[in-house]
Amino acid sequence: MGNIRTTFVKRTAKELLELHGDKFTNDFENNKQVVAEYSTVSTKHLRNQIAGYATHILERQ
């Protein structure tokens, strides 16, 4: 079974990809830095979830 992500994580990742899509890559470590720079997420756990979902979306494309 896969990971279940909340609507907040999915919505935030999609918004960041729309606004700053050229900055994201298939590299999770890079995406963590981009999420930290362009969002106001307060915890590392949420930052990592958003970066992971963004990486997942980019790998599917």
Side-chain angles (χ1 to χ4, degrees):
M1 301 198 88
N3 295 330
I4 298 174
R5 294 180 178 92
T6 62
T7 304
F8 175 76
V9 170
K10 291 181 179 182
R11 184 183 67 230
T12 305
K14 289 175 185 174
E15 288 175 358
L16 287 173
L17 282 171
E18 286 178 11
L19 295 174
H20 308 286
D22 55 332
K23 305 251 190 302
F24 284 91
T25 64
N26 286 340
D27 180 35
F28 173 72
E29 295 297 325
N30 176 59
N31 292 346
K32 280 197 318 188
Q33 298 300 322
V34 174
V35 169
E37 183 178 345
Y38 291 109
S39 72
T40 58
V41 177
S42 59
T43 63
K44 282 196 286 187
H45 182 73
L46 270 177
R47 180 200 66 197
N48 290 346
Q49 283 188 328
I50 293 167
Y53 189 65
T55 304
H56 176 73
I57 290 173
L58 290 173
E59 287 177 352
R60 286 191 324 195
Q61 292 179 351

